[in-house]
């Protein structure tokens, strides 16, 4: 039986309270928390609040639509589901409910390496295009086999997360005593050789010289990955225009401007604030996507006006998932798409190509 969407939900942000009530305090700390003092987490949201739109009137909007081409996919609208790990923390069906919601709304979904359901099972349930988010693992042979599985299951692109060679300082998680509960694990990584445990002795370097850093991926590993797959490879976690430039020069299929939802390095700027400089460096050679802080259709519009081709949402759809399963995920997408169309109509934009910087009020 599908859970009912609470009648008082009118906007995506309304789901948060309901989701929190339905999750354990530990799981909530994991999902909602960011790194350290959570400045970047808060700023991702605040950045959208600082940007104002300029309307346009009396435009002819006949034949208007929100369609786009993105890395070989024809999408109905520019909103994708971002990779979020361990979705069974939010709902017993986990990623299977999310992909059902995405399929109902025709939205592409990016599946996490750390999904709590097998990538094959998600692909079987999907009636919408899937991309796979990949962490290049210390066990490179396992990584190669994982890529083969992804290709065999019909995923359409790899999204390589490059901004987390080590985890951020997740203090909220630590204070809540978060550990994965029984029955929730990274099932797609079963059988992988893990690094020997590394415990720093007092007075020695906690990270430099550790096995973790010895095996951390570099630009060479990105090239290695591109050499062993026919799939388009996007890089996720790019905030610096210089890195965007290097990635494009190495032939990536797309850039995702992301600060990992404020979960890695605290004190970084909001993704929306760095987007224009990254888009300028990329100069239209490949698509630029953005995640972090999107809660309204107007946020999607602002990101597109400042240089993004599309956005990815993370926490919002997991709030929908926790509250009402697949229906909640579909509803979150529907709300954002509706608000985007309203924003386009009120700014005189008949297509995504019409959304331009002149519609941002300065």
């Amino acid at each position: 039986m599908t859970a009912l969407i609470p009648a008082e939900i009118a906007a995506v942000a309304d789901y948060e309270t309901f989701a929190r009530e339905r999750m354990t305090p530990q799981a909530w700390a994991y999902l909602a928390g960011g790194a350290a003092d959570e400045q970047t987490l808060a700023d991702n949201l605040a950045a959208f609040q600082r940007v104002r739109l300029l309307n346009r009137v009396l435009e002819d909007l006949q034949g208007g639509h929100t369609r786009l081409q993105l890395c070989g996919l024809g999408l109905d609208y520019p909103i994708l589901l971002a990779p979020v790990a361990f979705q069974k923390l939010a709902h017993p069906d986990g990623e299977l409910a999310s992909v059902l919601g995405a399929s109902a709304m025709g939205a592409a979904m990016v599946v996490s390496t750390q999904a709590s359901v097998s990538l094959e099972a998600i692909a079987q349930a999907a009636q919408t295009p899937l991309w796979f988010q990949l962490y290049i693992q210390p066990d490179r042979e396992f990584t190669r086999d994982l890529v083969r599985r992804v290709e065999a299951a019909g995923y359409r692109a790899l999204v390589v997360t490059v901004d987390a060679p080590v985890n951020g300082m997740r203090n909220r998680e630590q204070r809540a005593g978060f550990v994965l509960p029984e029955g929730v694990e990274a099932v797609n990584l079963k059988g992988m050789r893990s690094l020997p445990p590394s415990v720093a002795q007092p007075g020695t370097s906690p990270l430099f010289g550790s096995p973790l850093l010895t095996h951390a991926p570099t630009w060479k590993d990105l090239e290695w990955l591109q050499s062993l797959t026919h799939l388009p490879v996007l890089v996720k976690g790019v905030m610096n225009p210089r890195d965007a430039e290097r990635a494009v020069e190495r032939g990536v299929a797309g850039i995702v401007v992301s600060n990992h939802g404020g979960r890695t390095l605290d004190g970084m700027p909001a993704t929306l604030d760095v987007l224009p400089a990254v888009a300028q460096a990329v100069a239209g050679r490949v698509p630029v996507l953005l995640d972090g802080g999107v809660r309204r259709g107007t946020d999607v519009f602002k990101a597109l006006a400042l240089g993004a081709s599309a956005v990815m949402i993370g926490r919002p759809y997991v709030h929908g998932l926790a509250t009402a399963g697949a229906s909640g995920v579909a509803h979150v997408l529907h709300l954002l798409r509706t608000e985007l169309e309203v924003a386009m109509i009120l700014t005189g934009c008949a297509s995504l190509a019409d959304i331009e910087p002149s519609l941002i009020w300065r």
Side-chain angles (χ1 to χ4, degrees):
M1 182 182 133
T2 31
L4 290 176
I5 294 167
E8 56 269 50
I9 287 183
V12 167
D14 297 340
Y15 271 105
E16 189 165 339
T17 312
F18 291 96
R20 185 169 192 165
E21 286 168 3
R22 285 160 170 76
M23 291 171 70
T24 67
Q26 291 77 17
W28 182 255
Y30 174 80
L31 172 72
D37 300 317
E38 302 188 342
Q39 296 166 352
T40 299
L41 176 66
D43 206 36
N44 274 349
L45 292 161
F48 285 102
Q49 305 290 328
R50 294 191 289 265
V51 173
R52 296 284 174 266
L53 299 175
L54 209 51
N55 74 331
R56 291 183 65 197
V57 299
L58 301 175
E59 295 289 335
D60 181 359
L61 299 171
Q62 292 304 312
H65 66 86
T66 56
R67 293 190 295 277
L68 72 155
Q69 289 290 321
L70 189 67
C71 299
L73 297 184
L75 299 176
D76 287 339
Y77 54 104
I79 304 165
L80 295 82
L81 297 191
V84 178
F86 306 123
Q87 291 180 26
K88 282 188 177 181
L89 292 171
H91 188 278
D93 295 338
E95 290 80 1
L96 291 177
S98 294
V99 81
L100 204 61
S103 296
M105 287 301 299
M109 175 171 169
V110 189
V111 173
S112 170
T113 286
Q114 295 176 307
S116 48
V117 173
S118 83
L119 66 90
E120 289 85 359
I122 298 168
Q124 275 188 311
Q127 291 173 345
T128 197
L130 297 179
W131 289 354
F132 189 81
Q133 174 269 334
L134 181 72
Y135 288 109
I136 296 176
Q137 302 293 331
D139 184 343
R140 298 291 195 263
E141 285 303 305
F142 186 91
T143 304
R144 175 181 287 152
D145 293 343
L146 187 58
V147 169
R148 295 282 171 267
R149 285 174 59 195
V150 167
E151 291 171 340
Y155 287 73
R156 308 278 289 276
L158 290 173
V159 181
V160 184
T161 298
V162 292
D163 64 353
V166 297
N167 279 336
M169 303 305 294
R170 307 259 183 91
N171 295 152
R172 197 198 300 202
E173 253 175 68
Q174 291 165 316
R175 292 178 191 122
F178 174 76
V179 289
L180 283 174
E182 192 70 41
V184 180
E185 60 176 323
V187 292
N188 294 304
L189 297 180
K190 275 185 176 166
M192 182 176 70
R193 287 198 310 272
S194 29
L195 292 173
S198 168
V199 180
Q201 299 308 311
T204 65
S205 170
L207 287 172
F208 284 111
S210 70
L212 194 60
L213 274 197
T214 314
H215 292 85
T218 65
W219 290 103
K220 278 202 179 88
D221 296 289
L222 178 64
E223 288 171 8
W224 165 77
L225 179 71
Q226 289 170 294
S227 76
L228 59 92
T229 183
H230 62 270
L231 294 176
V233 175
L234 296 86
V235 285
K236 177 179 184 292
V238 176
M239 295 283 285
N240 192 316
R242 286 170 55 190
D243 286 338
E245 187 71 55
R246 286 183 81 174
V248 173
E249 283 166 3
R250 279 165 172 76
V252 301
I255 301 281
V256 184
V257 175
S258 173
N259 52 31
H260 219 100
R263 292 165 77 82
T264 51
L265 177 62
D266 198 29
M268 278 204 285
T271 50
L272 190 71
D273 287 335
V274 304
L275 171 64
V278 172
Q280 192 179 358
V282 170
R285 289 173 286 175
V286 297
V288 174
L289 290 85
L290 170 137
D291 68 20
V294 174
R295 296 293 184 276
R296 285 275 184 189
T298 41
D299 296 344
V300 180
F301 185 98
K302 290 168 185 177
L304 269 54
L306 291 171
S309 304
V311 304
M312 302 202 297
I313 57 167
R315 290 181 181 92
Y317 83 86
V318 183
H319 296 157
L321 172 67
T323 304
S327 309
V329 174
H331 189 224
V332 164
L333 285 162
H334 179 70
L335 286 170
L336 291 173
R337 184 184 184 176
T338 303
E339 290 175 355
L340 171 62
E341 291 192 10
V342 168
M344 287 173 67
I345 291 163
L346 296 179
T347 53
C349 296
S351 74
L352 302 181
D354 299 331
I355 302 176
E356 53 177 46
S358 68
L359 297 168
I360 301 289
W361 179 75
R362 299 184 193 282

